[in-house]
mmCIF file of all heavy atoms in Angstrom:
data_model
loop_
_atom_site.group_PDB
_atom_site.id
_atom_site.type_symbol
_atom_site.label_atom_id
_atom_site.label_comp_id
_atom_site.label_asym_id
_atom_site.label_seq_id
_atom_site.Cartn_x
_atom_site.Cartn_y
_atom_site.Cartn_z
ATOM 1 N N MET Y 166 -7.708 -22.718 -2.459
ATOM 2 C CA MET Y 166 -8.867 -21.901 -1.996
ATOM 3 C C MET Y 166 -9.882 -22.816 -1.338
ATOM 4 O O MET Y 166 -10.234 -23.843 -1.919
ATOM 5 C CB MET Y 166 -9.476 -21.154 -3.182
ATOM 6 C CG MET Y 166 -10.401 -20.054 -2.789
ATOM 7 S SD MET Y 166 -11.026 -19.162 -4.219
ATOM 8 C CE MET Y 166 -9.557 -18.289 -4.757
ATOM 9 N N PRO Y 167 -10.349 -22.473 -0.145
ATOM 10 C CA PRO Y 167 -11.304 -23.340 0.524
ATOM 11 C C PRO Y 167 -12.665 -23.324 -0.206
ATOM 12 O O PRO Y 167 -13.009 -22.353 -0.861
ATOM 13 C CB PRO Y 167 -11.471 -22.736 1.915
ATOM 14 C CG PRO Y 167 -10.622 -21.513 1.959
ATOM 15 C CD PRO Y 167 -9.951 -21.309 0.638
ATOM 16 N N LEU Y 168 -13.356 -24.413 -0.052
ATOM 17 C CA LEU Y 168 -14.696 -24.507 -0.619
ATOM 18 C C LEU Y 168 -15.734 -24.365 0.498
ATOM 19 O O LEU Y 168 -15.563 -24.897 1.571
ATOM 20 C CB LEU Y 168 -14.900 -25.865 -1.286
ATOM 21 C CG LEU Y 168 -14.015 -26.157 -2.488
ATOM 22 C CD1 LEU Y 168 -14.240 -27.582 -2.940
ATOM 23 C CD2 LEU Y 168 -14.324 -25.206 -3.640
ATOM 24 N N TYR Y 169 -16.756 -23.634 0.181
ATOM 25 C CA TYR Y 169 -17.831 -23.455 1.162
ATOM 26 C C TYR Y 169 -19.133 -23.947 0.575
ATOM 27 O O TYR Y 169 -19.417 -23.742 -0.596
ATOM 28 C CB TYR Y 169 -17.965 -21.986 1.550
ATOM 29 C CG TYR Y 169 -16.736 -21.468 2.301
ATOM 30 C CD1 TYR Y 169 -15.735 -20.856 1.584
ATOM 31 C CD2 TYR Y 169 -16.610 -21.662 3.652
ATOM 32 C CE1 TYR Y 169 -14.603 -20.394 2.240
ATOM 33 C CE2 TYR Y 169 -15.492 -21.211 4.303
ATOM 34 C CZ TYR Y 169 -14.492 -20.570 3.619
ATOM 35 O OH TYR Y 169 -13.380 -20.130 4.277
ATOM 36 N N GLU Y 170 -19.948 -24.588 1.412
ATOM 37 C CA GLU Y 170 -21.233 -25.101 0.943
ATOM 38 C C GLU Y 170 -22.354 -24.225 1.476
ATOM 39 O O GLU Y 170 -22.371 -23.852 2.663
ATOM 40 C CB GLU Y 170 -21.423 -26.538 1.445
ATOM 41 C CG GLU Y 170 -20.633 -27.528 0.660
ATOM 42 C CD GLU Y 170 -21.114 -28.941 0.921
ATOM 43 O OE1 GLU Y 170 -21.622 -29.184 2.034
ATOM 44 O OE2 GLU Y 170 -20.974 -29.775 0.041
ATOM 45 N N TYR Y 171 -23.244 -23.918 0.571
ATOM 46 C CA TYR Y 171 -24.415 -23.116 0.926
ATOM 47 C C TYR Y 171 -25.649 -23.798 0.349
ATOM 48 O O TYR Y 171 -25.581 -24.598 -0.565
ATOM 49 C CB TYR Y 171 -24.312 -21.701 0.343
ATOM 50 C CG TYR Y 171 -23.240 -20.849 0.950
ATOM 51 C CD1 TYR Y 171 -21.939 -20.907 0.472
ATOM 52 C CD2 TYR Y 171 -23.534 -20.013 2.007
ATOM 53 C CE1 TYR Y 171 -20.971 -20.127 1.039
ATOM 54 C CE2 TYR Y 171 -22.558 -19.227 2.578
ATOM 55 C CZ TYR Y 171 -21.269 -19.271 2.118
ATOM 56 O OH TYR Y 171 -20.306 -18.513 2.652
ATOM 57 N N PHE Y 172 -26.784 -23.389 0.897
ATOM 58 C CA PHE Y 172 -28.045 -23.822 0.286
ATOM 59 C C PHE Y 172 -28.723 -22.596 -0.320
ATOM 60 O O PHE Y 172 -28.920 -21.570 0.345
ATOM 61 C CB PHE Y 172 -28.982 -24.437 1.333
ATOM 62 C CG PHE Y 172 -30.238 -24.989 0.742
ATOM 63 C CD1 PHE Y 172 -30.245 -26.266 0.219
ATOM 64 C CD2 PHE Y 172 -31.390 -24.218 0.694
ATOM 65 C CE1 PHE Y 172 -31.402 -26.804 -0.331
ATOM 66 C CE2 PHE Y 172 -32.542 -24.743 0.120
ATOM 67 C CZ PHE Y 172 -32.549 -26.020 -0.407
ATOM 68 N N CYS Y 173 -29.035 -22.683 -1.595
ATOM 69 C CA CYS Y 173 -29.666 -21.579 -2.319
ATOM 70 C C CYS Y 173 -31.178 -21.772 -2.318
ATOM 71 O O CYS Y 173 -31.692 -22.798 -2.772
ATOM 72 C CB CYS Y 173 -29.153 -21.506 -3.756
ATOM 73 S SG CYS Y 173 -29.960 -20.203 -4.695
ATOM 74 N N ASP Y 174 -31.872 -20.786 -1.763
ATOM 75 C CA ASP Y 174 -33.338 -20.851 -1.717
ATOM 76 C C ASP Y 174 -33.974 -20.790 -3.096
ATOM 77 O O ASP Y 174 -34.992 -21.372 -3.336
ATOM 78 C CB ASP Y 174 -33.893 -19.712 -0.865
ATOM 79 C CG ASP Y 174 -33.859 -20.068 0.624
ATOM 80 O OD1 ASP Y 174 -33.844 -21.246 0.939
ATOM 81 O OD2 ASP Y 174 -33.878 -19.126 1.448
ATOM 82 N N LYS Y 175 -33.378 -19.998 -3.981
ATOM 83 C CA LYS Y 175 -33.954 -19.862 -5.312
ATOM 84 C C LYS Y 175 -33.799 -21.127 -6.133
ATOM 85 O O LYS Y 175 -34.729 -21.545 -6.818
ATOM 86 C CB LYS Y 175 -33.325 -18.668 -6.039
ATOM 87 C CG LYS Y 175 -33.761 -17.339 -5.468
ATOM 88 C CD LYS Y 175 -33.254 -16.222 -6.341
ATOM 89 C CE LYS Y 175 -33.700 -14.855 -5.753
ATOM 90 N NZ LYS Y 175 -33.143 -13.742 -6.534
ATOM 91 N N CYS Y 176 -32.575 -21.704 -6.080
ATOM 92 C CA CYS Y 176 -32.352 -22.923 -6.823
ATOM 93 C C CYS Y 176 -32.865 -24.162 -6.078
ATOM 94 O O CYS Y 176 -33.001 -25.220 -6.672
ATOM 95 C CB CYS Y 176 -30.866 -23.101 -7.101
ATOM 96 S SG CYS Y 176 -30.110 -21.798 -8.088
ATOM 97 N N GLN Y 177 -33.116 -23.993 -4.801
ATOM 98 C CA GLN Y 177 -33.537 -25.091 -3.955
ATOM 99 C C GLN Y 177 -32.548 -26.258 -4.008
ATOM 100 O O GLN Y 177 -32.883 -27.419 -4.160
ATOM 101 C CB GLN Y 177 -34.949 -25.618 -4.383
ATOM 102 C CG GLN Y 177 -36.036 -24.659 -3.953
ATOM 103 C CD GLN Y 177 -36.205 -24.634 -2.421
ATOM 104 O OE1 GLN Y 177 -36.454 -25.596 -1.788
ATOM 105 N NE2 GLN Y 177 -36.022 -23.424 -1.866
ATOM 106 N N LYS Y 178 -31.277 -25.896 -3.925
ATOM 107 C CA LYS Y 178 -30.268 -26.918 -3.865
ATOM 108 C C LYS Y 178 -28.985 -26.382 -3.227
ATOM 109 O O LYS Y 178 -28.817 -25.170 -3.050
ATOM 110 C CB LYS Y 178 -29.964 -27.459 -5.251
ATOM 111 C CG LYS Y 178 -29.282 -26.467 -6.171
ATOM 112 C CD LYS Y 178 -28.953 -27.125 -7.494
ATOM 113 C CE LYS Y 178 -28.101 -26.217 -8.371
ATOM 114 N NZ LYS Y 178 -27.798 -26.891 -9.644
ATOM 115 N N GLU Y 179 -28.124 -27.335 -2.916
ATOM 116 C CA GLU Y 179 -26.856 -26.970 -2.301
ATOM 117 C C GLU Y 179 -25.896 -26.553 -3.389
ATOM 118 O O GLU Y 179 -25.833 -27.164 -4.470
ATOM 119 C CB GLU Y 179 -26.276 -28.152 -1.527
ATOM 120 C CG GLU Y 179 -27.130 -28.550 -0.364
ATOM 121 C CD GLU Y 179 -26.574 -29.822 0.307
ATOM 122 O OE1 GLU Y 179 -25.420 -30.192 0.079
ATOM 123 O OE2 GLU Y 179 -27.346 -30.413 1.087
ATOM 124 N N VAL Y 180 -25.111 -25.512 -3.097
ATOM 125 C CA VAL Y 180 -24.077 -25.082 -4.038
ATOM 126 C C VAL Y 180 -22.741 -25.036 -3.308
ATOM 127 O O VAL Y 180 -22.701 -24.749 -2.094
ATOM 128 C CB VAL Y 180 -24.396 -23.703 -4.648
ATOM 129 C CG1 VAL Y 180 -25.633 -23.781 -5.527
ATOM 130 C CG2 VAL Y 180 -24.596 -22.671 -3.550
ATOM 131 N N THR Y 181 -21.691 -25.370 -4.025
ATOM 132 C CA THR Y 181 -20.349 -25.294 -3.441
ATOM 133 C C THR Y 181 -19.581 -24.181 -4.131
ATOM 134 O O THR Y 181 -19.486 -24.144 -5.332
ATOM 135 C CB THR Y 181 -19.625 -26.664 -3.685
ATOM 136 O OG1 THR Y 181 -20.425 -27.705 -3.104
ATOM 137 C CG2 THR Y 181 -18.264 -26.631 -3.009
ATOM 138 N N ILE Y 182 -19.100 -23.287 -3.340
ATOM 139 C CA ILE Y 182 -18.489 -22.071 -3.844
ATOM 140 C C ILE Y 182 -17.042 -21.942 -3.346
ATOM 141 O O ILE Y 182 -16.836 -21.951 -2.144
ATOM 142 C CB ILE Y 182 -19.280 -20.814 -3.416
ATOM 143 C CG1 ILE Y 182 -20.763 -20.961 -3.792
ATOM 144 C CG2 ILE Y 182 -18.675 -19.567 -4.043
ATOM 145 C CD1 ILE Y 182 -21.624 -19.852 -3.230
ATOM 146 N N PRO Y 183 -16.077 -21.887 -4.285
ATOM 147 C CA PRO Y 183 -14.720 -21.593 -3.858
ATOM 148 C C PRO Y 183 -14.539 -20.134 -3.531
ATOM 149 O O PRO Y 183 -14.867 -19.260 -4.340
ATOM 150 C CB PRO Y 183 -13.891 -22.020 -5.093
ATOM 151 C CG PRO Y 183 -14.813 -21.895 -6.251
ATOM 152 C CD PRO Y 183 -16.210 -22.064 -5.729
ATOM 153 N N MET Y 184 -14.079 -19.872 -2.335
ATOM 154 C CA MET Y 184 -13.924 -18.487 -1.882
ATOM 155 C C MET Y 184 -12.699 -18.389 -0.991
ATOM 156 O O MET Y 184 -12.356 -19.345 -0.299
ATOM 157 C CB MET Y 184 -15.142 -18.085 -1.001
ATOM 158 C CG MET Y 184 -16.271 -17.486 -1.735
ATOM 159 S SD MET Y 184 -17.378 -16.686 -0.564
ATOM 160 C CE MET Y 184 -17.729 -18.035 0.542
ATOM 161 N N THR Y 185 -12.081 -17.250 -0.996
ATOM 162 C CA THR Y 185 -11.029 -17.014 -0.029
ATOM 163 C C THR Y 185 -11.686 -16.812 1.339
ATOM 164 O O THR Y 185 -12.867 -16.476 1.449
ATOM 165 C CB THR Y 185 -10.188 -15.788 -0.357
ATOM 166 O OG1 THR Y 185 -11.018 -14.617 -0.313
ATOM 167 C CG2 THR Y 185 -9.576 -15.889 -1.750
ATOM 168 N N ILE Y 186 -10.890 -17.019 2.370
ATOM 169 C CA ILE Y 186 -11.421 -16.873 3.733
ATOM 170 C C ILE Y 186 -11.901 -15.443 3.956
ATOM 171 O O ILE Y 186 -12.947 -15.218 4.567
ATOM 172 C CB ILE Y 186 -10.345 -17.277 4.741
ATOM 173 C CG1 ILE Y 186 -10.119 -18.788 4.689
ATOM 174 C CG2 ILE Y 186 -10.776 -16.877 6.170
ATOM 175 C CD1 ILE Y 186 -8.939 -19.268 5.466
ATOM 176 N N SER Y 187 -11.155 -14.470 3.439
ATOM 177 C CA SER Y 187 -11.545 -13.059 3.645
ATOM 178 C C SER Y 187 -12.865 -12.760 2.945
ATOM 179 O O SER Y 187 -13.704 -12.027 3.450
ATOM 180 C CB SER Y 187 -10.460 -12.106 3.199
ATOM 181 O OG SER Y 187 -10.177 -12.283 1.830
ATOM 182 N N GLU Y 188 -13.049 -13.334 1.751
ATOM 183 C CA GLU Y 188 -14.335 -13.148 1.070
ATOM 184 C C GLU Y 188 -15.469 -13.753 1.882
ATOM 185 O O GLU Y 188 -16.557 -13.194 1.996
ATOM 186 C CB GLU Y 188 -14.319 -13.798 -0.320
ATOM 187 C CG GLU Y 188 -13.630 -12.944 -1.376
ATOM 188 C CD GLU Y 188 -13.595 -13.657 -2.699
ATOM 189 O OE1 GLU Y 188 -13.495 -14.930 -2.732
ATOM 190 O OE2 GLU Y 188 -13.636 -12.984 -3.740
ATOM 191 N N HIS Y 189 -15.194 -14.929 2.408
ATOM 192 C CA HIS Y 189 -16.216 -15.621 3.205
ATOM 193 C C HIS Y 189 -16.583 -14.780 4.428
ATOM 194 O O HIS Y 189 -17.753 -14.675 4.789
ATOM 195 C CB HIS Y 189 -15.692 -16.988 3.615
ATOM 196 C CG HIS Y 189 -16.645 -17.743 4.472
ATOM 197 N ND1 HIS Y 189 -16.413 -18.002 5.806
ATOM 198 C CD2 HIS Y 189 -17.848 -18.311 4.199
ATOM 199 C CE1 HIS Y 189 -17.432 -18.681 6.304
ATOM 200 N NE2 HIS Y 189 -18.309 -18.895 5.353
ATOM 201 N N GLU Y 190 -15.563 -14.201 5.054
ATOM 202 C CA GLU Y 190 -15.841 -13.431 6.283
ATOM 203 C C GLU Y 190 -16.614 -12.141 5.960
ATOM 204 O O GLU Y 190 -17.369 -11.659 6.777
ATOM 205 C CB GLU Y 190 -14.515 -13.066 6.969
ATOM 206 C CG GLU Y 190 -13.947 -14.277 7.665
ATOM 207 C CD GLU Y 190 -12.570 -13.982 8.285
ATOM 208 O OE1 GLU Y 190 -12.006 -12.932 7.952
ATOM 209 O OE2 GLU Y 190 -12.104 -14.815 9.059
ATOM 210 N N LYS Y 191 -16.475 -11.627 4.760
ATOM 211 C CA LYS Y 191 -17.252 -10.470 4.362
ATOM 212 C C LYS Y 191 -18.692 -10.843 3.965
ATOM 213 O O LYS Y 191 -19.514 -9.988 3.771
ATOM 214 C CB LYS Y 191 -16.588 -9.786 3.147
ATOM 215 C CG LYS Y 191 -15.329 -9.025 3.479
ATOM 216 C CD LYS Y 191 -14.817 -8.361 2.191
ATOM 217 C CE LYS Y 191 -13.342 -8.209 2.193
ATOM 218 N NZ LYS Y 191 -12.836 -7.899 0.837
ATOM 219 N N GLY Y 192 -18.926 -12.117 3.826
ATOM 220 C CA GLY Y 192 -20.276 -12.540 3.459
ATOM 221 C C GLY Y 192 -20.576 -12.278 1.991
ATOM 222 O O GLY Y 192 -21.682 -11.935 1.629
ATOM 223 N N ASN Y 193 -19.564 -12.424 1.160
ATOM 224 C CA ASN Y 193 -19.723 -12.131 -0.269
ATOM 225 C C ASN Y 193 -20.252 -13.328 -1.087
ATOM 226 O O ASN Y 193 -20.237 -13.231 -2.299
ATOM 227 C CB ASN Y 193 -18.400 -11.692 -0.864
ATOM 228 C CG ASN Y 193 -18.101 -10.248 -0.551
ATOM 229 O OD1 ASN Y 193 -18.960 -9.520 -0.073
ATOM 230 N ND2 ASN Y 193 -16.868 -9.821 -0.759
ATOM 231 N N ALA Y 194 -20.698 -14.329 -0.423
ATOM 232 C CA ALA Y 194 -21.131 -15.527 -1.174
ATOM 233 C C ALA Y 194 -22.334 -15.205 -2.039
ATOM 234 O O ALA Y 194 -23.278 -14.566 -1.633
ATOM 235 C CB ALA Y 194 -21.503 -16.628 -0.189
ATOM 236 N N ALA Y 195 -22.260 -15.650 -3.277
ATOM 237 C CA ALA Y 195 -23.393 -15.526 -4.173
ATOM 238 C C ALA Y 195 -23.544 -16.835 -4.953
ATOM 239 O O ALA Y 195 -22.529 -17.443 -5.320
ATOM 240 C CB ALA Y 195 -23.198 -14.379 -5.154
ATOM 241 N N CYS Y 196 -24.759 -17.250 -5.193
ATOM 242 C CA CYS Y 196 -24.995 -18.480 -5.930
ATOM 243 C C CYS Y 196 -24.396 -18.379 -7.332
ATOM 244 O O CYS Y 196 -24.646 -17.416 -8.062
ATOM 245 C CB CYS Y 196 -26.508 -18.760 -6.014
ATOM 246 S SG CYS Y 196 -26.888 -20.166 -6.971
ATOM 247 N N PRO Y 197 -23.583 -19.381 -7.722
ATOM 248 C CA PRO Y 197 -22.966 -19.315 -9.047
ATOM 249 C C PRO Y 197 -23.997 -19.502 -10.181
ATOM 250 O O PRO Y 197 -23.689 -19.217 -11.327
ATOM 251 C CB PRO Y 197 -21.959 -20.499 -9.011
ATOM 252 C CG PRO Y 197 -22.457 -21.385 -7.954
ATOM 253 C CD PRO Y 197 -23.166 -20.548 -6.949
ATOM 254 N N GLU Y 198 -25.153 -19.964 -9.872
ATOM 255 C CA GLU Y 198 -26.147 -20.240 -10.908
ATOM 256 C C GLU Y 198 -27.156 -19.102 -11.081
ATOM 257 O O GLU Y 198 -27.544 -18.784 -12.218
ATOM 258 C CB GLU Y 198 -26.866 -21.541 -10.607
ATOM 259 C CG GLU Y 198 -25.852 -22.687 -10.476
ATOM 260 C CD GLU Y 198 -26.494 -24.018 -10.718
ATOM 261 O OE1 GLU Y 198 -27.622 -24.074 -11.199
ATOM 262 O OE2 GLU Y 198 -25.833 -25.031 -10.401
ATOM 263 N N CYS Y 199 -27.583 -18.495 -10.002
ATOM 264 C CA CYS Y 199 -28.623 -17.480 -10.121
ATOM 265 C C CYS Y 199 -28.203 -16.154 -9.497
ATOM 266 O O CYS Y 199 -28.921 -15.170 -9.635
ATOM 267 C CB CYS Y 199 -29.927 -17.961 -9.495
ATOM 268 S SG CYS Y 199 -29.868 -18.027 -7.691
ATOM 269 N N GLY Y 200 -27.077 -16.127 -8.831
ATOM 270 C CA GLY Y 200 -26.604 -14.865 -8.303
ATOM 271 C C GLY Y 200 -27.258 -14.464 -6.973
ATOM 272 O O GLY Y 200 -26.998 -13.380 -6.434
ATOM 273 N N ASN Y 201 -28.078 -15.327 -6.460
ATOM 274 C CA ASN Y 201 -28.706 -15.079 -5.170
ATOM 275 C C ASN Y 201 -27.676 -14.896 -4.079
ATOM 276 O O ASN Y 201 -26.759 -15.695 -3.936
ATOM 277 C CB ASN Y 201 -29.621 -16.277 -4.850
ATOM 278 C CG ASN Y 201 -30.326 -16.124 -3.501
ATOM 279 O OD1 ASN Y 201 -30.518 -15.004 -3.010
ATOM 280 N ND2 ASN Y 201 -30.701 -17.246 -2.941
ATOM 281 N N ARG Y 202 -27.825 -13.850 -3.291
ATOM 282 C CA ARG Y 202 -26.855 -13.541 -2.263
ATOM 283 C C ARG Y 202 -27.357 -13.893 -0.849
ATOM 284 O O ARG Y 202 -26.669 -13.648 0.114
ATOM 285 C CB ARG Y 202 -26.423 -12.070 -2.311
ATOM 286 C CG ARG Y 202 -25.478 -11.811 -3.443
ATOM 287 C CD ARG Y 202 -24.985 -10.382 -3.411
ATOM 288 N NE ARG Y 202 -23.862 -10.223 -4.324
ATOM 289 C CZ ARG Y 202 -22.602 -10.378 -3.941
ATOM 290 N NH1 ARG Y 202 -22.321 -10.691 -2.686
ATOM 291 N NH2 ARG Y 202 -21.631 -10.251 -4.806
ATOM 292 N N THR Y 203 -28.560 -14.375 -0.776
ATOM 293 C CA THR Y 203 -29.070 -14.738 0.534
ATOM 294 C C THR Y 203 -28.937 -16.241 0.704
ATOM 295 O O THR Y 203 -29.933 -16.966 0.749
ATOM 296 C CB THR Y 203 -30.522 -14.295 0.720
ATOM 297 O OG1 THR Y 203 -31.315 -14.839 -0.326
ATOM 298 C CG2 THR Y 203 -30.633 -12.783 0.702
ATOM 299 N N LEU Y 204 -27.712 -16.706 0.738
ATOM 300 C CA LEU Y 204 -27.456 -18.118 0.850
ATOM 301 C C LEU Y 204 -27.347 -18.514 2.317
ATOM 302 O O LEU Y 204 -26.839 -17.780 3.122
ATOM 303 C CB LEU Y 204 -26.159 -18.483 0.123
ATOM 304 C CG LEU Y 204 -26.112 -18.146 -1.358
ATOM 305 C CD1 LEU Y 204 -24.756 -18.488 -1.922
ATOM 306 C CD2 LEU Y 204 -27.168 -18.883 -2.122
ATOM 307 N N LYS Y 205 -27.811 -19.713 2.590
ATOM 308 C CA LYS Y 205 -27.653 -20.234 3.939
ATOM 309 C C LYS Y 205 -26.425 -21.110 4.000
ATOM 310 O O LYS Y 205 -26.325 -22.085 3.259
ATOM 311 C CB LYS Y 205 -28.880 -21.094 4.315
ATOM 312 C CG LYS Y 205 -30.180 -20.347 4.345
ATOM 313 C CD LYS Y 205 -31.310 -21.317 4.574
ATOM 314 C CE LYS Y 205 -32.661 -20.593 4.516
ATOM 315 N NZ LYS Y 205 -33.789 -21.559 4.543
ATOM 316 N N PRO Y 206 -25.517 -20.768 4.877
ATOM 317 C CA PRO Y 206 -24.302 -21.587 4.975
ATOM 318 C C PRO Y 206 -24.617 -22.951 5.561
ATOM 319 O O PRO Y 206 -25.406 -23.092 6.486
ATOM 320 C CB PRO Y 206 -23.383 -20.771 5.886
ATOM 321 C CG PRO Y 206 -24.231 -19.782 6.561
ATOM 322 C CD PRO Y 206 -25.487 -19.594 5.745
ATOM 323 N N LEU Y 207 -24.023 -23.999 4.976
ATOM 324 C CA LEU Y 207 -24.139 -25.324 5.496
ATOM 325 C C LEU Y 207 -22.884 -25.614 6.303
ATOM 326 O O LEU Y 207 -21.805 -25.732 5.757
ATOM 327 C CB LEU Y 207 -24.283 -26.349 4.402
ATOM 328 C CG LEU Y 207 -25.528 -26.229 3.513
ATOM 329 C CD1 LEU Y 207 -25.456 -27.260 2.380
ATOM 330 C CD2 LEU Y 207 -26.785 -26.436 4.341
ATOM 331 N N VAL Y 208 -23.048 -25.697 7.573
ATOM 332 C CA VAL Y 208 -21.872 -25.931 8.436
ATOM 333 C C VAL Y 208 -21.543 -27.409 8.372
ATOM 334 O O VAL Y 208 -22.359 -28.271 8.591
ATOM 335 C CB VAL Y 208 -22.154 -25.523 9.880
ATOM 336 C CG1 VAL Y 208 -20.962 -25.811 10.767
ATOM 337 C CG2 VAL Y 208 -22.538 -24.066 9.946
ATOM 338 N N GLY Y 209 -20.299 -27.675 7.994
ATOM 339 C CA GLY Y 209 -19.919 -29.085 7.834
ATOM 340 C C GLY Y 209 -18.446 -29.254 7.737
ATOM 341 O O GLY Y 209 -17.647 -28.523 8.323
ATOM 342 N N ALA Y 210 -18.068 -30.237 6.945
ATOM 343 C CA ALA Y 210 -16.685 -30.689 6.890
ATOM 344 C C ALA Y 210 -15.744 -29.650 6.323
ATOM 345 O O ALA Y 210 -14.539 -29.789 6.454
ATOM 346 C CB ALA Y 210 -16.601 -31.967 6.068
ATOM 347 N N PHE Y 211 -16.295 -28.659 5.647
ATOM 348 C CA PHE Y 211 -15.421 -27.696 5.001
ATOM 349 C C PHE Y 211 -14.806 -26.704 5.964
ATOM 350 O O PHE Y 211 -13.893 -25.990 5.628
ATOM 351 C CB PHE Y 211 -16.156 -26.932 3.901
ATOM 352 C CG PHE Y 211 -16.420 -27.827 2.708
ATOM 353 C CD1 PHE Y 211 -17.632 -28.420 2.516
ATOM 354 C CD2 PHE Y 211 -15.389 -28.042 1.791
ATOM 355 C CE1 PHE Y 211 -17.857 -29.260 1.435
ATOM 356 C CE2 PHE Y 211 -15.606 -28.855 0.708
ATOM 357 C CZ PHE Y 211 -16.845 -29.480 0.527
ATOM 358 N N PHE Y 212 -15.329 -26.651 7.168
ATOM 359 C CA PHE Y 212 -14.772 -25.746 8.152
ATOM 360 C C PHE Y 212 -13.601 -26.404 8.846
ATOM 361 O O PHE Y 212 -13.760 -27.447 9.464
ATOM 362 C CB PHE Y 212 -15.841 -25.332 9.159
ATOM 363 C CG PHE Y 212 -16.826 -24.351 8.622
ATOM 364 C CD1 PHE Y 212 -17.793 -24.732 7.699
ATOM 365 C CD2 PHE Y 212 -16.754 -22.993 8.994
ATOM 366 C CE1 PHE Y 212 -18.670 -23.787 7.171
ATOM 367 C CE2 PHE Y 212 -17.638 -22.071 8.473
ATOM 368 C CZ PHE Y 212 -18.585 -22.482 7.584
ATOM 369 N N PRO Y 213 -12.428 -25.865 8.681
ATOM 370 C CA PRO Y 213 -11.221 -26.488 9.208
ATOM 371 C C PRO Y 213 -11.200 -26.578 10.718
ATOM 372 O O PRO Y 213 -10.738 -27.564 11.271
ATOM 373 C CB PRO Y 213 -10.079 -25.622 8.696
ATOM 374 C CG PRO Y 213 -10.714 -24.269 8.387
ATOM 375 C CD PRO Y 213 -12.136 -24.603 7.999
ATOM 376 N N LYS Y 214 -11.733 -25.601 11.361
ATOM 377 C CA LYS Y 214 -11.795 -25.623 12.822
ATOM 378 C C LYS Y 214 -13.141 -25.107 13.274
ATOM 379 O O LYS Y 214 -13.686 -24.209 12.686
ATOM 380 C CB LYS Y 214 -10.694 -24.754 13.440
ATOM 381 C CG LYS Y 214 -9.310 -25.311 13.319
ATOM 382 C CD LYS Y 214 -8.321 -24.407 14.018
ATOM 383 C CE LYS Y 214 -6.928 -24.978 13.879
ATOM 384 N NZ LYS Y 214 -5.911 -24.069 14.491
ATOM 385 N N THR Y 215 -13.626 -25.668 14.328
ATOM 386 C CA THR Y 215 -14.859 -25.145 14.921
ATOM 387 C C THR Y 215 -14.513 -24.470 16.246
ATOM 388 O O THR Y 215 -14.057 -25.116 17.169
ATOM 389 C CB THR Y 215 -15.896 -26.237 15.165
ATOM 390 O OG1 THR Y 215 -15.277 -27.297 15.831
ATOM 391 C CG2 THR Y 215 -16.457 -26.753 13.827
ATOM 392 N N SER Y 216 -14.691 -23.170 16.274
ATOM 393 C CA SER Y 216 -14.456 -22.447 17.513
ATOM 394 C C SER Y 216 -15.810 -22.187 18.159
ATOM 395 O O SER Y 216 -16.684 -21.609 17.557
ATOM 396 C CB SER Y 216 -13.710 -21.169 17.275
ATOM 397 O OG SER Y 216 -14.469 -20.331 16.409
ATOM 398 N N ARG Y 217 -15.973 -22.645 19.354
ATOM 399 C CA ARG Y 217 -17.251 -22.533 19.990
ATOM 400 C C ARG Y 217 -17.373 -21.181 20.700
ATOM 401 O O ARG Y 217 -16.588 -20.801 21.501
ATOM 402 C CB ARG Y 217 -17.438 -23.637 21.031
ATOM 403 C CG ARG Y 217 -17.682 -24.997 20.396
ATOM 404 C CD ARG Y 217 -18.145 -25.954 21.434
ATOM 405 N NE ARG Y 217 -18.599 -27.192 20.806
ATOM 406 C CZ ARG Y 217 -19.496 -28.005 21.332
ATOM 407 N NH1 ARG Y 217 -20.025 -27.704 22.511
ATOM 408 N NH2 ARG Y 217 -19.878 -29.110 20.720
ATOM 409 N N LYS Y 218 -18.428 -20.478 20.292
ATOM 410 C CA LYS Y 218 -18.756 -19.256 20.982
ATOM 411 C C LYS Y 218 -20.203 -19.322 21.431
ATOM 412 O O LYS Y 218 -21.079 -19.508 20.595
ATOM 413 C CB LYS Y 218 -18.571 -18.040 20.054
ATOM 414 C CG LYS Y 218 -17.150 -17.761 19.730
ATOM 415 C CD LYS Y 218 -17.051 -16.577 18.753
ATOM 416 C CE LYS Y 218 -15.625 -16.332 18.354
ATOM 417 N NZ LYS Y 218 -15.495 -15.259 17.376
ATOM 418 N N SER Y 219 -20.447 -19.208 22.684
ATOM 419 C CA SER Y 219 -21.803 -19.326 23.152
ATOM 420 C C SER Y 219 -22.189 -18.148 24.045
ATOM 421 O O SER Y 219 -21.326 -17.427 24.475
ATOM 422 C CB SER Y 219 -22.012 -20.635 23.894
ATOM 423 O OG SER Y 219 -21.161 -20.679 25.004
HETATM 424 ZN ZN1 ZN Q 42 -29.181 -20.165 -6.882
#
C-alpha cells in the first residue's frame, strides 16, 4: 500500500498515512492522531509519477 504524506494543521506536523490509491483519489485522508480531514498533501517522493497538467 502506498504511503502518502500530509501536513496536519491541528497537530502542526507531518503525518504519513498508508492508503490505497482509490482512497487517496477520493480524498479520504484523515489524520491518524486527531482525525482531522483537512490535511494538506505534501507532494514529494511518494508520488510514483508526476503527470503535468497545466
Ligand atoms: Zn492531526
